[in-house]
C-alpha cells in the first residue's frame, strides 16, 4: 500500500505540479518505505524525498507538515552523519511551532529523542509520543510507539491495560494482540 501511495502521490503531482501537499506525501512515503520495510535503499529514499521537499519549498509551501517531513529526511540521514540529528530536531521543533497538533512531528521527534545517543531523552520521547496519542487516540502508529515506550520504561502493567483497551477498540489490528502476547511471554 505504501508503494501504491508513492505512485498516487506522484500522479497527483503530475496532474497539478503547483500543488505541494502530494509532494510531502511522496517524500514521507519514500522515507517510511525505507525505514519500516527496508525495501528501498536509503540513498533512493532520501534522494526522492529531497527532490520533493525542494519542489515544495520552491512553491513556497513551508507548512508544519513540510518541516515535519524535512525533520524525517534529516532523521534518516543521521544514520550516516551526526549533524543531521540536530537538523532533524530543529525541523521537528519548527513543525510544532507552526502547528502544535502535528501528530507526525510528535511521533517522529519522539523517535529521534529515543534513538540519538547525544540527545537521548526517554522522558521527553515518552512525553512526545503521549501527546500524539492524546491528539489521535486511535492512531495505530502512535499507539504502537506509546506501547514501546511503556515497555522500555518497564511499565508493563500499564502497557498491558492499555493494550487490552486498544484491542477492544480496534480488534482487527493484530499487532496489539502480538504486543500483549510478547509482554506476557517476557514476564513469565
Amino acid at each position: 500500500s505504501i508503494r501504491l501511495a508513492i505512485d498516487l502521490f506522484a500522479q497527483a503531482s503530475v496532474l497539478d505540479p503547483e500543488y505541494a501537499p502530494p509532494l510531502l506525501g511522496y517524500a514521507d512515503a519514500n522515507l517510511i518505505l525505507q525505514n519500516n520495510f527496508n525495501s528501498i535503499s536509503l540513498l533512493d529514499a532520501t534522494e526522492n524525498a529531497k527532490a520533493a521537499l525542494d519542489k515544495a519549498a520552491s512553491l513556497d509551501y513551508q507548512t508544519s507538515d513540510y518541516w515535519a517531513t524535512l525533520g524525517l529526511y534529516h532523521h534518516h540521514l543521521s544514520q550516516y552523519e551526526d549533524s543531521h540529528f540536530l537538523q532533524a530536531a530543529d525541523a521537528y521543533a519548527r513543525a510544532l511551532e507552526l502547528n502544535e497538533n502535528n501528530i507526525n512531528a510528535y511521533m517522529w521527534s519522539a523517535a529521534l529523542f529515543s534513538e540519538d545517543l547525544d540527545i537521548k531523552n526517554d522522558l521527553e520521547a515518552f512525553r512526545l509520543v503521549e501527546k500524539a496519542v492524546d491528539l489521535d487516540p486511535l492512531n495505530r502508529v502512535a499507539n504502537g510507539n506509546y506501547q514501546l515506550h511503556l515497555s522500555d520504561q518497564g511499565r508493563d502493567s500499564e502497557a498491558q491495560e492499555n493494550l487490552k483497551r486498544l484491542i477492544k477498540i480496534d480488534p482487527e489490528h493484530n499487532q496489539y494482540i502480538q504486543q500483549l502476547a510478547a509482554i506476557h511471554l517476557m514476564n513469565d
Side-chain angles (χ1 to χ4, degrees):
S1 62
I2 294 175
R3 287 192 184 279
L4 175 59
I6 289 170
D7 291 341
L8 293 172
F9 285 129
Q11 288 175 33
S13 292
V14 168
L15 291 171
D16 189 349
E18 301 301 311
Y19 185 61
L23 295 165
L24 300 182
Y26 178 82
D28 290 342
N30 270 275
L31 295 168
I32 290 167
L33 184 65
Q34 189 283 320
N35 185 66
N36 293 9
F37 302 100
N38 206 23
S39 60
I40 182 175
S41 73
L42 180 62
L43 179 63
D44 288 341
T46 54
E47 283 181 354
N48 292 343
K50 181 71 166 113
L53 283 162
D54 288 348
K55 175 68 175 168
S58 76
L59 295 171
D60 201 28
Y61 191 80
Q62 295 186 359
T63 63
S64 175
D65 290 333
Y66 168 85
W67 287 99
T69 300
L70 183 64
L72 188 62
Y73 165 78
H74 284 294
H75 194 158
H76 276 70
L77 289 176
S78 67
Q79 297 175 45
Y80 296 103
E81 190 176 320
D82 289 343
S83 67
H84 285 283
F85 271 111
L86 294 177
Q87 291 173 291
D90 288 345
Y92 292 144
R94 180 72 176 129
L96 293 171
E97 282 175 22
L98 293 170
N99 178 2
E100 63 183 24
N101 295 318
N102 188 323
I103 293 167
N104 286 337
Y106 282 111
M107 288 190 302
W108 297 338
S109 187
L112 183 75
F113 276 103
S114 65
E115 294 168 3
D116 178 47
L117 297 179
D118 291 332
I119 63 171
K120 188 170 178 67
N121 184 335
D122 289 331
L123 292 176
E124 179 64 6
F126 184 76
R127 184 192 70 77
L128 291 165
V129 78
E130 191 172 43
K131 179 68 174 176
V133 171
D134 288 345
L135 289 169
D136 187 357
L138 300 180
N139 186 302
R140 289 176 171 175
V141 176
N143 277 302
N145 291 344
Y146 180 74
Q147 287 306 126
L148 292 173
H149 286 279
L150 283 174
S151 295
D152 287 348
Q153 293 180 11
R155 297 164 64 177
D156 290 338
S157 61
E158 287 177 70
Q160 288 176 12
E161 290 307 311
N162 191 52
L163 284 167
K164 290 175 187 175
R165 179 187 66 80
L166 291 170
I167 291 167
K168 286 180 185 175
I169 294 170
D170 191 2
E172 301 299 316
H173 191 55
N174 292 332
Q175 286 186 344
Y176 295 146
I177 297 167
Q178 291 171 355
Q179 288 176 338
L180 184 59
I183 291 172
H184 284 291
L185 180 64
M186 298 296 283
N187 290 326
D188 287 341

